[in-house]
């Protein structure tokens, strides 16, 4: 952060420093031009963008390819208490997520190596327990008696953990980078390890005990970039600085809606509205609305763009939602960055 | 459990004893007629029903009205490794969930009561911080310095915790009943408390520090009853012993499906199939399929029944899924017990 540059645009991200959200923010927002500010919770990142004189943008995780949707982020979009009336998605970013086991290497080689798991500090071992994944063990793990990480990271590394660290105690903490920080705080004699990024290991002075330990080699997380639609109605997230092949000439739109209490098939009818206008549905999620028991808010993503300047297909489809929903909210349109 | 009655049908439930799943199991399956067996994880309950000579039924949580779907249960239905080919839902149960704060009462009245939170052991205080909820404080909470519970229970009691126990450390554990057990193990001098059912407090000899602390008064959890469709193709869960007004003459069906990689609007088309047959969609969830990155399995519930004996609307609709999906699986039909 740079307190000497008050004119920089501010970008909130889910911290602490070295989190995957931080890496996603750095991929879009140049540290030289933007002031990146860590937030301790997803809801704080939403609140920072809503606040007058708050952040100009925020970067939050939306879904992981192995673990699924981030429920905390969905619930901020549901926004049951209307805390974020002006918040809109204005960009997305797909970040490959390669988890590492990080910690303090054991001082001595254990005499207790099983034949199956032979390793050597000089000759890294490929542990191919799944055709979709190849982990690399860098150090012995026999001394590890406790693992810290975020619940989602535990969920993404189940095969590695059951193969190499079966029965070792797990402690869930608020983020993978906080997990690395805790191991660093325990000092060199600690028998704890963390599942985190290699960046977090670098920052906290930890060693890589194993690399690429996620169940799926192509594990990745999709992040949304948020803005305040009232103070910055036409703003879009900058393009990622290292773009891969993407659908960037296409657009996506996020919409939430609720149905009347007697649905009579209206979810199918709402989705059919978009289809009738040639707009493809790319994701659907539901969360409790808390208006009534067993009543839901649906969040859908549809290919296409709402543009006030024209009367295009999306604008027409959204107008028709009035007839089939109890209520609906446009939550932003942005360039599709999904890998092709 | 009763080892003297080997002929009793066996019912697996997500334990430990006194869990909400145990209460749900007891509501359907009489302890005199059935042998109820605790399982330590949701996947163990699924495996028990799949196994030859395993359990005849299992009771697992599917969704909570405040906190949403139970992802661990969804992922067992997705069944990426085809571990449960014969598993079918054969019943459902809606259980009101009233959480309590349970622990050891403080030995002395604290002198540090704020005016806002005055309480008296003889005159219970109603804490109305939300029109949908009224908690009852039974004891002082000033001594509580640590709270154990399941993550879902923390999520269902956020308002109570932020009002009365702001800043108190929280430790996530595998179930609410395990949380109560841990507090009991710490003994009478412990400053820990658990969020659990009052039944768990009874069983573990703990006191109720506060009752009905969930954010929503009508908080409830929906459980599924599972069976093995191969060994018990026509079996249905017994009716709950204290039935409320329900839609019990109607049926529901659970189906999972995946879409081709180039969806071209086919999710809307799949849902339209059911609508065309007059079958109402009541829930939709999606999870990563893990076949390809950003490819999903959809799980839908539809009103209606698959019945091999007739060619009814559901049977016809399911046949049409072949034309629009990459693959699909019928996961059971059961009597609708949703509250009317």
């Amino acid at each position: 952060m740079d307190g000497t540059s008050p004119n920089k645009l501010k970008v909130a991200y889910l911290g602490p420093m070295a989190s995957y959200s931080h890496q996603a923010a750095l991929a879009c927002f140049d540290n030289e031009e933007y002031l990146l500010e860590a937030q301790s919770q997803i809801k704080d990142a939403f609140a920072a963008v809503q606040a007058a004189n708050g952040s100009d943008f925020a970067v939050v995780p939306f879904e992981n390819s192995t673990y699924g949707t981030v429920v905390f982020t969905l619930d901020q979009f549901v926004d049951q208490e209307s805390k974020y009336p002006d918040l809109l998605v204005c960009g997305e970013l797909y970040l490959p997520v390669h988890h590492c086991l990080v910690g303090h290497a054991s001082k001595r080689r254990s005499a207790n190596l099983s034949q199956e798991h032979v390793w050597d500090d000089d000759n890294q071992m490929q542990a191919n327990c799944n055709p979709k994944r190849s982990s690399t063990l860098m150090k012995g793990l026999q001394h590890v008696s406790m693992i810290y990480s975020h619940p989602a990271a535990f969920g993404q590394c189940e095969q590695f953990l059951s193969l190499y660290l079966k029965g070792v105690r797990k402690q869930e903490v608020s983020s993978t980078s906080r997990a690395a920080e805790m191991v660093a705080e325990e000092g060199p004699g600690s028998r704890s390890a963390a599942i985190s990024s290699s960046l977090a290991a670098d920052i906290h002075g930890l060693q890589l005990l194993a690399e690429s330990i996620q169940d799926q080699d192509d594990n990745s997380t999709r992040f949304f970039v948020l803005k305040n639609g009232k103070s910055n109605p036409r703003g879009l997230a900058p393009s990622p600085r290292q773009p891969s092949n993407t659908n960037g000439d296409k657009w996506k739109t996020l919409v939430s809606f609720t149905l009347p209490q007697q649905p009579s098939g209206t979810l199918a009818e709402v989705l059919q509205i978009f289809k009738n206008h040639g707009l493809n549905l790319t994701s659907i999620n539901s969360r409790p609305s808390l208006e009534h028991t067993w009543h839901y808010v649906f969040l859908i993503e549809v290919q296409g763009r709402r543009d006030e300047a024209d009367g295009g297909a999306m604008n027409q489809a959204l107008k028709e939602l009035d007839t089939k929903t109890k209520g609906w909210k446009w939550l932003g349109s942005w360039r599709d960055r999904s890998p092709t």
Side-chain angles (χ1 to χ4, degrees), chain A:
Chain A
M1 298 185 201
D2 181 359
T4 63
S5 304
N7 294 329
K8 281 185 177 180
L9 290 178
K10 288 189 282 187
V11 180
Y13 66 87
L14 177 64
M17 208 164 71
S19 67
Y20 290 106
S21 294
H22 191 190
Q23 293 178 46
L26 286 169
C28 278
F29 297 98
D30 190 326
N31 229 347
E32 304 284 310
E33 292 175 42
Y34 295 90
L35 183 63
L36 271 56
E37 297 180 319
Q39 305 290 328
S40 60
Q41 294 185 74
I42 288 171
K43 65 182 178 185
D44 299 331
F46 275 70
V49 172
Q50 179 61 43
N53 303 315
S55 298
D56 298 279
F57 296 100
V59 177
V60 294
F62 184 68
E63 62 174 333
N64 174 268
S65 60
T66 310
Y67 195 70
T69 319
V70 180
V71 168
F72 297 109
T73 301
L74 283 181
D75 281 346
Q76 300 313 307
F77 282 120
V78 168
D79 192 19
Q80 220 249 333
E81 293 169 26
S82 299
K83 288 180 184 169
Y84 319 118
D86 304 317
L87 197 132
L88 292 177
V89 181
C90 66
E92 69 176 7
L93 183 94
Y94 289 76
L95 186 80
V97 171
H98 299 296
H99 292 301
C100 299
L101 190 76
V102 309
H104 309 278
S106 175
K107 291 280 184 285
R108 61 187 182 82
R109 280 191 61 167
S110 165
N112 190 24
L113 292 176
S114 74
Q115 203 167 8
E116 193 179 6
H117 301 162
V118 171
W119 53 266
D120 186 293
D121 280 358
D122 301 320
N123 299 298
Q124 297 172 2
M125 192 197 80
Q126 296 292 322
N128 294 304
C129 61
N130 179 320
K132 293 182 189 165
R133 179 175 70 77
S134 58
S135 319
T136 305
L137 282 188
M138 315 289 287
K139 306 283 178 190
L141 306 182
Q142 291 75 10
H143 65 296
V144 175
S145 64
M146 167 69 103
I147 311 166
Y148 300 121
S149 202
H150 187 271
F154 283 126
Q156 291 161 31
C157 302
E158 280 183 359
Q159 293 172 14
F160 177 88
L161 293 173
S162 70
L163 187 62
Y164 291 107
L165 294 162
K166 202 172 172 71
V168 173
R169 256 182 83 202
K170 298 189 197 87
Q171 169 76 54
E172 296 183 349
V173 299
S174 57
S175 74
T176 56
S177 41
R178 173 67 190 137
E181 189 178 47
M182 286 167 70
V183 173
E185 285 167 1
E186 290 182 7
S190 162
R191 300 181 62 188
S192 301
I195 298 174
S196 74
S197 66
S198 59
L199 176 63
D202 285 351
I203 284 185
H204 296 296
L206 296 172
Q207 291 189 275
L208 300 184
L209 305 181
E211 277 189 306
S212 206
I213 65 171
Q214 67 283 350
D215 292 346
Q216 306 283 323
D217 256 351
D218 52 3
N219 186 43
S220 64
T221 297
R222 181 156 74 115
F223 293 84
F224 276 158
V225 182
L226 312 175
K227 67 169 184 180
N228 187 312
K230 199 168 171 186
S231 57
N232 185 15
R234 307 200 69 78
L236 287 173
S239 299
R241 286 180 291 162
Q242 294 179 310
S244 54
N245 289 335
T246 68
N247 292 311
D249 55 333
K250 295 186 183 161
W251 290 74
K252 282 191 229 168
T253 290
L254 182 67
V255 180
S256 68
F257 61 88
T258 56
L259 296 174
Q261 269 204 283
Q262 298 296 328
S264 311
T266 46
L267 176 57
E269 287 175 18
V270 169
L271 303 183
Q272 193 63 33
I273 290 174
F274 293 98
K275 180 152 179 60
N276 291 345
H277 287 280
L279 300 167
N280 186 27
L281 183 72
T282 59
S283 88
I284 183 163
N285 287 283
S286 61
R287 294 290 301 155
S289 75
L290 306 185
E291 281 179 32
H292 317 281
T293 317
W294 309 116
H295 184 248
Y296 303 92
V297 176
F298 296 92
L299 290 127
I300 61 171
E301 284 177 273
V302 182
Q303 281 179 338
R305 178 186 190 184
R306 184 191 198 186
D307 185 346
E308 299 291 355
D310 70 25
M314 181 64 74
N315 295 39
Q316 290 174 31
L318 290 175
K319 270 184 209 150
E320 288 176 35
L321 290 185
D322 288 337
T323 63
K324 297 289 182 189
T325 66
K326 186 177 169 212
W328 63 273
K329 190 178 174 194
W330 173 64
L331 290 167
S333 298
W334 65 94
R335 280 187 198 280
D336 184 342
R337 302 282 177 199
S338 55
T340 51

